[in-house]
Amino acid sequence: MQPNNLTHIQSIRNDTSTTCYRIFSPKPNASKRLFILPHASGSASYFRQWHELVDADVEVVVIQYPGRENRISKPLINDMSQLVTTLAVGLRPLLNKPFVIFGHSMGGAVAYELTLKIQSYRYREPCHLVISAIEGPSCHHQGELYRASDEQLLAELTRLNGTQVDFNQYPELADMVLPLMRNDYQLIETYQPDLNAAKIACPVTVMAAEQDTELTIAEAQTWQQVCASSFTIKTYPGDHFYISSQASNVTKYICNLYPNNQNWLCAP
């Protein structure tokens, strides 16, 4: 890596308000990276502890969408193309080591589109793409829940088991979560995948939960249609947010996806 790149990475690590990611436990000497894309209304802190679960030589980089936590002053983005373009450019300095991209629920669709964007920009590509708890592009679920009342949106979040908070007791939290939910649901519900897009060049794993009412195995299998390389489905016990109880098993699986090839080159 060139010295100017080292300086750039150090500077963006120190300014978390302007970067599109959080690194809760920096590992400058790590040989690999894991990029995580959160679910709708999710923030980087949901995955704060994942750095404790991965191998010592894996640095965990969690995407922080604008408008939340340390980026609360940044405008929300409800358009998929705009979001992934911003992410691809913002992450490029970190694509200098073997990396895996993992996305959960809405984050799975963002991870897919981000991988396509990285391919189209001819950046260094991921070793593996891991998509969790969302259907493939050919059967993408569109909708208009983002137009629903505040009460309906919060009920949906509770139904998916995405939070244990009683928003009736903590209305200030509801005031924080609702704009994020409405924005992110608009992003994913109005998202229209390009069914003629390029195939994903790297291997793809789709993770699904056995009790997830939002995703069937048949819908998970449709991801194979976008793959040019190997395709695997991995199932876990639990509901839509199985990644909470299964975090250790999920990260262990991911850590086995990196290649042993020591000749992996730095990004251009």
Side-chain angles (χ1 to χ4, degrees), residues 174-207:
D175 291 340
M176 294 175 61
V177 170
L178 280 167
L180 304 181
M181 280 197 71
R182 201 172 296 281
N183 176 86
D184 293 357
Y185 269 62
Q186 181 174 0
L187 184 148
I188 195 62
E189 290 183 332
T190 60
Y191 161 57
Q192 296 183 337
D194 179 1
L195 301 184
N196 295 314
K199 302 292 186 182
I200 297 296
C202 68
V204 175
T205 292
V206 174
M207 295 183 172

Side-chain angles (χ1 to χ4, degrees), residues 29-267:
N29 297 320
S31 64
K32 311 162 189 173
R33 288 194 175 100
L34 168 62
F35 295 102
I36 300 175
L37 292 116
H39 47 279
S41 78
S43 57
S45 63
Y46 187 92
F47 297 91
R48 177 183 290 273
Q49 304 304 322
W50 277 40
H51 70 89
E52 299 176 359
L53 304 175
V54 298
D55 294 346
D57 63 342
V58 176
E59 183 175 57
V60 176
V61 180
V62 189
I63 303 307
Q64 186 75 290
Y65 304 131
R68 54 211 84 192
E69 294 184 342
N70 60 304
R71 302 190 71 204
I72 195 168
S73 64
K74 304 301 179 182
L76 296 170
I77 298 177
N78 60 19
D79 176 77
M80 179 69 81
S81 178
Q82 180 184 353
L83 178 62
V84 298
T85 298
T86 300
L87 295 180
V89 173
L91 293 174
R92 187 182 184 185
L94 300 185
L95 306 185
N96 61 305
K97 299 177 181 181
F99 63 95
V100 170
I101 298 179
F102 170 86
H104 178 69
S105 195
M106 181 193 80
V110 179
Y112 164 66
E113 291 291 342
L114 175 61
T115 302
L116 287 177
K117 186 66 69 175
I118 288 173
Q119 289 183 177
S120 71
Y121 285 173
R122 299 187 182 277
Y123 293 170
R124 178 60 58 185
E125 297 175 11
C127 306
H128 209 105
L129 171 62
V130 182
I131 296 169
S132 168
I134 192 168
E135 69 283 354
S138 66
C139 60
H140 174 63
H141 301 163
Q142 292 187 311
E144 293 191 345
L145 188 59
Y146 70 93
R147 300 180 185 273
S149 67
D150 291 351
E151 292 75 15
Q152 288 173 306
L153 281 174
L154 291 176
E156 176 70 4
L157 185 59
T158 302
R159 183 183 71 83
L160 294 175
N161 198 25
T163 179
Q164 302 298 321
V165 176
D166 182 351
F167 291 105
N168 291 320
Q169 294 186 17
Y170 301 97
E172 68 279 8
L173 292 179
D175 291 340
M176 294 175 61
V177 170
L178 280 167
L180 304 181
M181 280 197 71
R182 201 172 296 281
N183 176 86
D184 293 357
Y185 269 62
Q186 181 174 0
L187 184 148
I188 195 62
E189 290 183 332
T190 60
Y191 161 57
Q192 296 183 337
D194 179 1
L195 301 184
N196 295 314
K199 302 292 186 182
I200 297 296
C202 68
V204 175
T205 292
V206 174
M207 295 183 172
E210 295 167 358
Q211 287 79 45
D212 188 355
T213 59
E214 301 301 295
L215 179 71
T216 67
I217 296 300
E219 290 173 332
Q221 288 174 334
T222 62
W223 280 106
Q224 188 167 12
Q225 299 168 5
V226 307
C227 298
S229 185
S230 63
F231 173 77
T232 304
I233 290 184
K234 183 74 174 173
T235 60
Y236 294 92
D239 56 23
H240 191 67
F241 281 92
Y242 74 95
I243 55 171
S244 178
S245 62
Q246 295 294 318
S248 179
N249 291 327
V250 169
T251 51
K252 181 178 180 181
Y253 181 90
I254 291 174
C255 287
N256 289 324
L257 298 177
Y258 295 89
N260 295 320
N261 183 4
Q262 299 301 312
N263 296 320
W264 201 90
L265 300 176
C266 289

